[in-house]
Amino acid sequence: MISVIGSSNMDIVLTVEHFTKPGETQKILNLEYFPGGKGANQAVAAAKLSKSEVFFLTMLGNDSYGSTLAKNYEKLGISGYKFADTNTGLAFIEVTLSGENRIMITPGANAHLTPGIVNESIGEILKTDILLLQNEIPFESTLFAARLFKDAGKLVIFDPAPARGITPEIFPYVDIMTPNEEELRTLSENIIGRYESIEKTFEAFKEKGLKAMIVKQGENGATYIDEKAIFTVPTKKVEPVDTTAAGDVFNGALAVALNERRNIQSAIQFANICAAISVTRKGAQPSIPDREEVEFA
């Protein structure tokens, strides 16, 4: 069984011809609303790809967005969400006609997911074997959860996104960290003062306790590295429509594959395929494939 601790957002997606430049006003080509949030995307991906229950500790606001998200989780067999007396987190996503995106977030209820809230649910969390974490809730809560889960001898996967406010204190409690290339560069510059390569950054992070890392590289696949090996797993070539949530789909799929006892190379291959399918569609969670679709890809 898989658990996820993280964010829930309603994504407000603005389709535009190109990224809006400073001082520019441009017409929005399309306005859409999609369930999102890095934690939620991972939880939904895990639920759809495994077709088993997923425990998802997240905070929703007492508003129409929170109600909509809760109903969506119920349909997918996802339990664990809680409500806070505030607004639901929102993400404003600018998507260009070429499929690129950039995202601005207001955390709302996500900021209320404290270590105390994590501790209240620790009994349910520890019933699971794999924990997925990201960085859209307070980092102190993510660190608290990683430490408790790792101390219980379970597998912790941490997606350091957004890559701000993260300290290496979490590294000893992470089995696999899964940044994309830009996040890895930011982490490296913030923690060791420079970025040179995947290998050199991992060596520095390993000294601080990190066990393994998967660097998500978009159309170039993903590179795995630990103290004994480094290899790149290619991905399926597709025409991207919207890259929103591709990294989250990768993580959810990775957890499913590892939970099924696949080896790491096979797990990455499965995650790559799931992420590749997701970028051919618009929206975060609506883009996530189900298991049957992946098997025939």
Side-chain angles (χ1 to χ4, degrees):
M1 190 172 172
I2 296 167
S3 60
V4 184
I5 300 176
S7 59
S8 288
N9 292 325
M10 182 60 77
D11 290 351
I12 301 173
V13 181
L14 317 173
T15 301
V16 292
E17 184 178 319
H18 57 268
F19 287 141
T20 308
K21 300 172 184 176
E24 177 188 16
T25 299
Q26 70 167 316
K27 184 178 180 180
I28 295 171
L29 302 178
N30 200 20
L31 173 64
E32 297 168 287
Y33 295 83
F34 297 109
K38 288 187 176 298
N41 297 340
Q42 292 186 4
V44 170
K48 290 184 71 174
L49 292 165
S50 65
K51 294 187 178 179
S52 64
E53 290 187 7
V54 171
F55 185 85
F56 177 34
L57 180 59
T58 190
M59 298 297 289
L60 304 174
N62 283 320
D63 53 22
S64 61
Y65 293 138
S67 177
T68 297
L69 295 178
K71 289 176 182 177
N72 189 48
Y73 298 151
E74 290 173 8
K75 290 178 183 177
L76 292 166
I78 295 172
S79 62
Y81 55 86
K82 298 177 180 290
F83 288 89
D85 190 18
T86 185
N87 63 287
T88 298
L90 297 175
F92 300 88
I93 305 175
E94 197 175 32
V95 180
T96 68
L97 292 177
S98 64
E100 293 182 298
N101 73 74
R102 58 183 180 185
I103 305 172
M104 296 153 284
I105 294 171
T106 177
N110 295 310
H112 293 256
L113 210 172
T114 63
I117 295 293
V118 175
N119 200 48
E120 289 175 6
S121 298
I122 199 62
E124 292 298 317
I125 296 166
L126 291 180
K127 291 178 183 177
T128 66
D129 300 306
I130 297 177
L131 174 63
L132 287 168
L133 298 166
Q134 330 75 39
N135 196 41
E136 285 184 341
I137 62 172
F139 180 70
E140 62 180 357
S141 302
T142 300
L143 175 60
F144 180 78
R147 182 186 290 117
L148 285 177
F149 205 76
K150 194 60 201 163
D151 286 349
K154 307 296 185 77
L155 183 73
V156 177
I157 301 174
F158 176 46
D159 186 358
R164 300 288 181 183
I166 295 170
T167 71
E169 186 180 359
I170 197 171
F171 287 172
Y173 310 110
V174 173
D175 292 285
I176 307 173
M177 188 168 73
T178 61
N180 63 27
E181 292 174 290
E182 189 58 36
E183 290 155 357
L184 181 63
R185 180 179 294 275
T186 298
L187 281 174
S188 186
E189 290 173 349
N190 290 346
I191 293 173
I192 63 176
R194 66 189 183 282
Y195 176 75
E196 296 179 44
S197 66
I198 291 174
E199 295 92 328
K200 290 188 177 180
T201 296
F202 176 73
E203 284 300 314
F205 287 1
K206 183 180 70 173
E207 291 179 3
K208 298 180 183 295
L210 187 65
K211 300 169 186 65
M213 190 165 70
I214 298 172
V215 182
K216 295 171 287 191
Q217 298 169 290
E219 64 181 11
N220 294 318
T223 295
Y224 174 86
I225 184 169
D226 63 18
E227 64 178 358
K228 296 180 180 179
I230 179 171
F231 57 83
T232 297
V233 180
T235 190
K236 180 182 177 70
K237 300 300 181 184
V238 296
E239 283 294 325
V241 172
D242 180 1
T243 58
T244 305
D248 305 327
V249 175
F250 180 98
N251 274 57
L254 180 73
V256 168
L258 292 175
N259 197 50
E260 294 174 354
R261 302 294 188 266
R262 296 195 188 199
N263 64 43
I264 190 63
Q265 187 162 355
S266 175
I268 294 172
Q269 185 177 30
F270 178 76
N272 275 343
I273 292 171
C274 295
I277 293 172
S278 77
V279 305
T280 64
R281 304 163 179 162
K282 297 186 76 172
Q285 291 166 30
S287 74
I288 299 171
D290 59 28
R291 186 60 176 260
E292 183 176 0
E293 183 178 6
V294 176
E295 298 292 355
F296 286 98

